[in-house]
Amino acid sequence: GAYWFPWPIAVLALGVLWFVQRDRRTRTWTPYAGPAPTAGASGTPPGTPSGTAPADLGQPYPHAHTAPGVPIPPIDYSRLRPQNPRKRGPVLFWFTLALIALAEGTLLVVDLAGVDVLASAYPALALAIAAGMLVLGAFWGRAGGLILVALLAAGATWATAASEQWESQTLRYAPQQASEVRDTYELHGGQLVLDLSQVEDPEALAGREVRVDAGAGQVEVIVPTGLDVLANTDVGVGSLTVFGDQTEGLGINRTGSHTGDDSTVDLTVDIDLGAGEVVVRTQGGTR
């Protein structure tokens, strides 16, 4: 439930935030001690008066007590360099894409073999692989670009899961009286069937206007044969069939009419669908 909230994106964001905060807490820095000092001609540190024994100056002169004429060994500054620097570069990105392609192909083979695989399983599989590689990259590094892959997979998973929920919704209306016919019917996704042919007093629908607003899916309106009906249909992408005339494509609209027992328009039907199929027909007419 609660498909309106993007749960995969929220969980992924919390995981990324945890790894970022963890990396900040464990990061350590080593200060730079500066260049190694050089000794004078007598082997004493610079600024030491001639003929006097140098005092124990400590760092950065660890060899201040070296006898005159003895070369001062160089100081090893390699310990000041970062140990095991994190490697950079999107090496895991291409490996992850290849792994996702292999896994998706395997899932497709399973789907074609007859196993019931939901549409949301495909982006969910990609999301799981990307999340696993992000965990690997948090320790090994070189995971550039994987967050974008995971976000896209999370969005696709949420969209397909919500679409599956909508597809399971089927609304059927068959009012028996004209007074039971609503002015507006709405559908977010799925199937809506409005059967007006069962109205026992269709003459009471004279002058009425019925509107159907739907997001995605299928809308079917069945009108009585004895009424004069004007149907205005608009579909963003998909197909529509109005009293036997079919149209398919993008941004399509059609106005059709059915003549009943008289020439006056008794009923007007307006249908607006974002994506899917619209059918307006009479009882027993062509679907």
Side-chain angles (χ1 to χ4, degrees), residues 214-232:
Q218 183 186 68
V219 175
E220 182 177 5
V221 178
I222 306 173
V223 299
T225 56
L227 287 180
D228 288 349
V229 180
L230 177 66
N232 302 314

Side-chain angles (χ1 to χ4, degrees), residues 194-198 221-227 229 231 243 258 267 269 280-284:
L194 176 59
D195 188 359
L196 300 178
S197 64
Q198 305 298 320
V221 178
I222 306 173
V223 299
T225 56
L227 287 180
V229 180
F243 301 120
H258 166 72
L267 177 65
V269 178
V280 181
R281 64 182 179 89
T282 58
Q283 184 180 17

Side-chain angles (χ1 to χ4, degrees), residues 209-221:
E209 180 177 349
V210 178
R211 180 172 182 82
V212 179
D213 292 322
Q218 183 186 68
V219 175
E220 182 177 5
V221 178

Side-chain angles (χ1 to χ4, degrees), residues 65-113:
H65 293 290
T66 304
V70 178
I72 298 177
I75 300 176
D76 184 13
Y77 288 92
S78 61
R79 62 184 180 85
L80 300 179
R81 299 176 183 175
Q83 299 297 323
N84 299 324
R86 179 69 58 86
K87 296 180 179 180
R88 301 296 180 184
V91 172
L92 291 181
F93 177 78
W94 302 110
F95 181 78
T96 303
L97 291 185
L99 188 60
I100 290 176
L102 178 62
E104 296 290 350
T106 304
L107 184 61
L108 178 61
V109 171
V110 173
D111 191 1
L112 295 178

Side-chain angles (χ1 to χ4, degrees), residues 66 74 100 120 125 142 145 159 166 179 191 245 251 263 284:
T66 304
I100 290 176
S120 58
L125 178 60
R142 316 198 76 170
W166 288 339
S179 59
Q191 183 183 27
D245 295 333
S263 58

Side-chain angles (χ1 to χ4, degrees), residues 107-270:
L107 184 61
L108 178 61
V109 171
V110 173
D111 191 1
L112 295 178
V115 179
D116 188 12
V117 178
L118 296 176
S120 58
Y122 289 93
L125 178 60
L127 175 60
I129 295 175
M133 298 304 290
L134 277 173
V135 174
L136 176 62
F139 297 96
W140 189 70
R142 316 198 76 170
L146 290 187
I147 293 181
L148 177 60
V149 175
L151 288 176
L152 293 177
T157 302
W158 174 81
T160 52
S163 176
E164 290 169 356
Q165 177 69 12
W166 288 339
E167 288 176 358
S168 63
Q169 182 182 23
T170 301
L171 303 178
R172 297 183 179 274
Y173 302 96
Q176 302 296 315
Q177 302 293 328
S179 59
E180 299 176 358
V181 178
R182 306 178 188 175
D183 292 334
T184 303
Y185 294 87
E186 294 184 355
L187 174 71
H188 295 291
Q191 183 183 27
L192 185 148
V193 178
L194 176 59
D195 188 359
L196 300 178
S197 64
Q198 305 298 320
V199 176
E200 298 177 355
D201 52 343
E203 65 280 355
L205 294 175
R208 292 283 303 274
E209 180 177 349
V210 178
R211 180 172 182 82
V212 179
D213 292 322
Q218 183 186 68
V219 175
E220 182 177 5
V221 178
I222 306 173
V223 299
T225 56
L227 287 180
D228 288 349
V229 180
L230 177 66
N232 302 314
T233 58
D234 190 354
V235 178
V237 53
S239 65
L240 57 85
T241 303
V242 181
F243 301 120
D245 295 333
Q246 185 175 8
T247 305
E248 298 180 354
L250 299 173
I252 55 177
N253 56 77
R254 176 179 290 275
T255 298
S257 61
H258 166 72
T259 302
D261 297 336
D262 51 56
S263 58
T264 59
V265 177
D266 295 327
L267 177 65
T268 301
V269 178
D270 296 326

